Structures are given as C-alpha cells and as structure tokens.
Amino acid sequence: MSDISTQDQRPRSLARAALYTLSLLLVVVGLLNSTPGIPGYDALVGGLFGDAGLTLRKFPTEWFYPAVFALMMSVVVLRHSMWRDWREKAPARRAFGLALDIALVVMAATIALTYLIEIESVCLIDRLNGDRARLIAQSLAAAAEFNASLGLPAPETVDDPQCVNTTGGWLVLIVGLAVVVFLAYNVKVWGLPLVIVAILIASYTILTVLVWYVYGAEDINKYLVTKLAGEPRLLSDGRPRVHDVLVNNASGLLGRFMDIVLNTIFPYLVLGALFGSSAGGRSLIKLAFRWTRHLRGGPAHAAIVSSAMFGTISGGPIVNVLSTGVLTIPMMVKRGFSKVFAGGVEAAASSGGSIMPPVMGVAAFVLASLTSVPYSSVIVAALIPALAYFFCLFLSAVFQSRKQNITAIGTLTEDMILDRQDYLNLTMVFGPILLILTLLLIPKDAVGCGLLGGVLGAERTFSDGACSVQSLSWFLTTVQNASGSAGAAGWWAVMLLLALLFLDPEIRSTPRKIVDALAEAGGLIATLYLMFLAVSIIDFCLSFTGLPVFLSLDVLAWLNSLNLGSGGSSLSQFIALLLTMLLAVLLGMGMPAVPAYINAALLMSPVLAGLGLSLFTAHMFIFYFAVASAITPPVALAAFAAASITKAEPMATGFSAVKSGIVMFVVPFVFAFHPELLLIPEAVLDPRSSAGAYLPGYDGALRLGALALLLGRLALALYLVSSAMAAFDRRRLAAWEIMARLGLAVLLLSRVESLWLAAAALSVAALALHAWRSRRAPVAT
C-alpha cells in the first residue's frame, strides 16, 4: 500500500510544481508586459541584449495574447484538475475528468495556433512558406509604381495582406469545439449558473441561424432569425462571423477582455494577492477597533471600517468575508450582537469593498472599459455612493446596538494597542492606495507645475497665472507617463508593496512568501480568464443575433406606448430601472459580479440610455446591482461565507445582510434620478444626442450648494430607511412608523421641490417627536 501511495503522490507533487512554476511565469510575464513608460528603460533593455529594437514591455498583442492564453489554460488545468479532484470517484468519472483536462489544454493550444494562422497581422502559415513575404513584396512594388506615376516617393510599408493559407472551413469546427470545452470546464470552476446563461444564449443564436437557413428571412419575426448572408442561403457564409469570434479585438475570444485583464486589472490582482500575504490586514483591523472603541456598535463598526479598507484592495466579497470576518465576527458576537446580525453586517460590509474607491474589483475596471470613461473618473463617480453605503451600514450598527442595549467599550484593550511594527504594517495598506490615487488623479499636463515641481527638477515658466513646462526630470517624466493610467498606477503600487513587504520581519526571514503570493496571483488570474471566456461567448452571440438592439427598441416602444405621466419619462425610467435591477440580481445569483454586470449591461444599458440616462449612469446602476447579488437571497454567496463562520442559518444571514446593506438597492435609483451625485460630466451626457449635449437641466458644471442640499436630503433619507429596516431608533418602531419613514424617505428624494420640502419638514418633526417620546419612556429592548 505504501508503494501505491508513493506512486500516487509523485504525479501530484509534479503537478503542484508545474502549477507553481507556470503561475509564477504568468505573473512575471504579465508584469513585464504592463510595465509603464520609464525613461531609459527601453534603451537599457536593448543595450543588455544587443538589439536596439528589443523591448520587454507592451509586447505585440498578436503574438502575446495567444501565448498567454495557452499558458493561462494550462494553469487552470493544473489548478482545477478534474482528474485529480475526482481521484476518489468511480474510474469512469475520473477518466472523463482526465479527458476534459486534456481537452482544455489541447483546445487552448489549438485556438492559440489558429489565431496566429487566421489573424492578418501574422498569417503564420504564409510566414512559414514565404507567401506573406511574396505578397508584401508585390504590394510594395505596386504601390511604388503608383507613387512614381504621381511623382511621390516609394512607400516603405503597406497594409497587412489577407492570409492565403488558413484553416478554411475547419475554423467553424475548431471554434465550436473550443466553446463546448470552455463552457464544460466553467461548470467545474465557476459553477452552473454562468454556463446555463451562456448555453441558452448560444442555443438561441444557433436556432435563429437554422431558422434562416431552413425557412429564409421572409415573414419571420426578427427575434427568430439571424441572417448570415443573402441568397442562396449557405451556412458556409457564416465563416467571416466565426473568424471575427476568434480574432476580433472587440468581442473575440482573445479580444477586449484579454486586453482588460492583461493591460488594466493584472497588477491589481497581483496587488491583492501580495496584500493577502502581508501583516497589514491584522494591523488594519487593530486600527479599526481602536477608531471605533467609543461607538456603541464597537466591533460592528470596526468590521465596517476594516472591510471597506481591506475590500478596496481585495475587491472580492467572499475573500473579504473570510479575511476580516474571522476576526470581526467573533468580536461582535462576544460583545452581544446576534450571530445573524454579525454575519449579515460583515457580508454587507465586505460586499461594499467592491464599490469602495480607489480599487473596486474587476467589474469596475470592466465598466471603465465598456463606457470608455477613464478609471480615475470612475473613482470620483463612485465616491458619494460608496460613502452613502457605508454611512448606512454605520447607522445599521447603531440601531442594532441600541436595540440590544450594547454600550461602547471606551477604553483601549490589548487587541487595540498598535506597536511600532503595526505602524510599519499599515504603510503596506495605505502606501499603495495613496500612490494609486495620486497617479490616477494627477492630470498629465499638471505634472511639474505643482509646489514641488521646481524642487523635483521641472523647468517651467508662469505667465498670467498659467504654467508652461519646458522639461521634466527623470522622476517627473516617469510620473507623467503613469498619471491617469489605471494599469500604470497599479503596476507602480505593486512595485511599492513589494518593497514595503520587507518591513515585515516574517517576510524578511522567509521571502519565499512573496514568491508564493505571486504564484497564487497567477492561478487567480488564469482562473478569472476562464470566466471571461464564458462571458465572451455570451457577448459575441448577442452581437451575432442583434438581440440587445431589438430588445431595447421594443422595450422603449412599449414604455412610450403606455404614455405614463408627462411624456412618460420619469415613470418609464423607474419601470425600466426596476426591470434592470431584477435582471442584474437574477443573473448574479451564484455568479460573480463581473459576468452578472456584463450580461445585464449588454441587454439593458441600451434601454436605459434610450430613456434618457447617460450611458455611464446606466452602467453604474447595473454595476451596483451585480455587486448586490452577493448578499441577495436565495443565493447570497458573501452571506453564506459569513454564515460558515457564525454557524448561523445561512438564509437568515442573507436577509440580515440585505437589511443592513439596503442602501445598495436604494442608492442606484437615487443617482439614476440625480446623476449629479456621480460628480463627473459623463454622468449627465445625453446619449440620444450625437453632439455631446447634456441632459435637460444639466450643463456639466458642479454646483456645490445644490449638491450639499441634495446630500443633506440623502443623509436624512438614509437615516429614515436604516431605522425602518432595523424597526428601531431610540425605541422600537411601530408598523405605521416604519411605513411612514419609508414613504418620507422616497418623497425626500423626489425631483418635485414642494414634495421634498414638505417631506423634509415632516421628517424632522417626526424624528424630534420620536426623540421626545423616547426620553419620557424607558427604552424597549
């Protein structure tokens, strides 16, 4: 038996070594690729390797993407091997798992090779047999002859010729088999809900193509037919579409999502993994407990603060719960909070990490890409909604502590004392965050014009109050190259954290921990891209059929036909927003926020834009509800993770998380009707205008007085909503008081001035009356 056991362990240890090596290779190559512009870097690399044209950053995408893709899928197989995980299962099932493992590696390599064969910038077979060189020479000769006839100099380059030697009709079979294998493996890694959505949409696409092929397009509903070409109807006419599925930079398998992963979010995923290996998290929780010791909620408030700060780096609700919750939840229970509330508030706070600037998780970077809005603007837009969310969580903890008569600790306890090492550890948290904020928010043309510009080596002149920069030092040029770029800011944050980690004596004694964290990051990135493959399948299938366009036009026509109110605008918007919320939450059940957001955005953002919301506001609305799905029963993954710590009933924890985080479901409606809360001009652009006009009533300017008044109304409304959800303020609230507070909260945020003024007066009077009655009567517990 020992010999058999040893033989079984050897392949597993080899697989672990291969996984570690390939994951680490992925991270190293990815960080090299995302290296920002550093003065002298390219020249240094060229000098070291004796090739002036060689560079070790921003690799050519046509070669880099397929190579990295094959590497990622190899890492996925080694990390999530079905054959290994099913070693205790029946032989037939284990053999099936081995077949799927092999199939994923083979199909990834096949897709990478086919990509190189099919994409015009490479044409691999043509390169190998000389056809490409011949075609380019012919094109150059023809162009030179034409230019000579016009008296122009001969051209030095020509456009890439079309590939002569391709996979032909086999391309359809190759892509089709790849889609099947990618979806099958997604079931194992990311779960069935995501794959079911992809299968349904892919099946719908195939069905509509077959309807066209069998019956033609005449007199058939537009939702039931997808034309590939004209007459005669040939399925082979669909090859150009399948070619796009593979090589298109916008919606291909190695298209925009590969670009987002490798050029934007890659360093942030590495940053989160490195932060998880540091001691900064423990010191952060100590600091949170210290800051909140005078508040009645104590540990609950500490959980909210630590989850907000930790979550802005980790960006993942479940990771956040399991990281901070193991410390904060027992402390809340020890102070007297119920297990259900403790788990619920931790799940809600951890989910809020995904909306907390400056690093809000993968979905926020995807939002920036899909809306073509700089990530620095996304940070600004997310600020007020995030503060409103955590303000509401604070109120939830206040009302719960009043209900359970929990008092503040007040004094410093042993677990709140920060020593010298704790302060050093906190630099690992705040240093990278401040660096990211600085680089993202400094305009490129302002670098060198600040107070320290001259000290740091900038040569500038000032005329009529305007700054003109003649030259920048090496340091300031580096800052300018990175400013405004999310990828560059993340890369420099990684470099800073790598240095700061050595302030930890544990890291200094065992630096292997850093390497382990980098290898772990490689596994996470590869696994993430497997999910993006399923999303890509949904994306190109929807664009193939035109379903989002048809759906948006018909929904808009239906809403307009109802003639709701004055032109139907506000009520139509509310109905469409409500439908969008339900769709985003349903798609998010059991699914990460990224695919839930993308799928809902593909379908519903055109509808919301057609009703007068700016494209950015529509996407922010959908993004919030995709994040909210993590705490929404019946499949509330973050709440279930918290319940695994509290040992409380998972569904009850989920409903408690919704009550604590109710503002996650409220604030999106608020900024949909009051987009000025998002603070950026893109939030008030009219999508129905091609001239870049603003929505009616807006001019793109930020009016601080009006904003302050709106924030006051919002704060009062959130107080009313939070107390209503807790059914407690200074004493228990009756059912009629709960309903009255919810109604007043809605009216407070109305666009009609007379309504919100009356609601504000009634709210202040109701709260004053409640406080007066509470002082005259003992608190009901």
Side-chain angles (χ1 to χ4, degrees), residues 49-69:
F49 291 94
D51 184 353
L54 181 67
T55 181
L56 285 182
R57 69 183 192 90
K58 305 303 178 188
F59 302 124
T61 59
E62 63 269 24
W63 294 98
F64 185 57
Y65 285 4
V68 169
F69 175 68

Side-chain angles (χ1 to χ4, degrees), residues 255-562:
R256 64 177 170 190
F257 293 123
M258 179 68 83
D259 178 68
I260 292 170
V261 169
L262 291 181
N263 295 321
T264 303
I265 67 175
F266 194 98
Y268 293 95
L269 296 170
V270 176
L271 186 70
L274 288 173
F275 181 66
S277 69
S278 75
R282 295 193 300 271
S283 300
L284 182 63
I285 292 174
K286 273 189 179 183
L287 180 65
F289 278 117
R290 185 186 184 98
W291 281 352
T292 59
R293 69 185 185 275
H294 294 298
L295 301 175
R296 295 185 65 151
H301 289 122
I304 295 166
V305 172
S306 60
S307 293
M309 290 189 288
F310 185 87
T312 195
I313 294 181
S314 70
I318 298 174
V319 173
N320 205 352
V321 168
L322 298 177
S323 299
T324 61
V326 292
L327 295 174
T328 58
I329 288 176
M331 288 293 292
M332 282 188 273
V333 174
K334 183 178 178 181
R335 286 295 315 283
F337 288 103
S338 69
K339 290 183 177 181
V340 169
F341 175 81
V345 77
E346 175 60 44
S350 295
S351 297
S354 298
I355 60 171
M356 185 67 185
V359 185
M360 300 184 290
V362 176
F365 291 99
V366 176
L367 182 149
S369 176
L370 294 184
T371 57
S372 300
V373 172
Y375 187 70
S376 56
S377 296
V378 176
I379 289 176
V380 174
L383 182 61
I384 289 178
L387 292 177
Y389 181 73
F390 284 100
F391 170 68
C392 203
L393 286 181
F394 257 74
L395 291 176
S396 175
V398 168
F399 295 135
Q400 186 69 22
S401 60
R402 288 177 181 175
K403 182 188 291 188
Q404 296 187 227
N405 200 24
I406 297 172
T407 57
I409 297 175
T411 58
L412 281 174
T413 60
E414 186 177 349
D415 55 3
M416 300 179 192
I417 297 175
L418 298 173
D419 56 24
R420 178 176 175 274
Q421 186 58 48
D422 285 314
Y423 287 109
L424 292 176
N425 292 342
L426 288 172
T427 63
M428 303 175 197
V429 180
F430 295 110
I433 292 176
L434 290 175
L435 179 62
I436 290 170
L437 279 173
T438 301
L439 290 177
L440 286 180
L441 298 181
I442 291 180
K444 282 186 180 295
D445 55 3
V447 175
C449 286
L451 294 175
L452 297 178
V455 176
L456 295 174
E459 295 183 10
R460 67 262 176 93
T461 58
F462 295 90
S463 176
D464 297 328
C467 172
S468 176
V469 177
Q470 280 72 50
S471 66
L472 295 173
S473 63
W474 179 91
F475 174 77
L476 289 177
T477 302
T478 303
V479 172
Q480 187 181 61
N481 290 343
S483 64
S485 169
W491 190 89
W492 280 114
V494 169
M495 296 302 111
L496 176 62
L497 182 56
L498 283 172
L500 292 176
L501 283 172
F502 286 94
L503 295 174
D504 184 356
E506 292 184 18
I507 296 293
R508 291 199 299 271
S509 62
T510 54
R512 173 68 182 268
K513 286 185 176 182
I514 295 179
V515 184
D516 292 344
L518 292 174
E520 178 65 19
L524 291 173
I525 292 166
T527 304
L528 178 68
Y529 197 73
L530 180 68
M531 178 193 69
F532 273 120
L533 285 176
V535 176
S536 296
I537 292 166
I538 296 169
D539 186 15
F540 66 66
C541 283
L542 287 175
S543 62
F544 200 78
T545 62
L547 178 64
V549 176
F550 300 149
L551 186 66
S552 61
L553 291 175
D554 287 347
V555 171
L556 287 173
W558 171 68
L559 289 172
N560 289 331
S561 69
L562 297 179

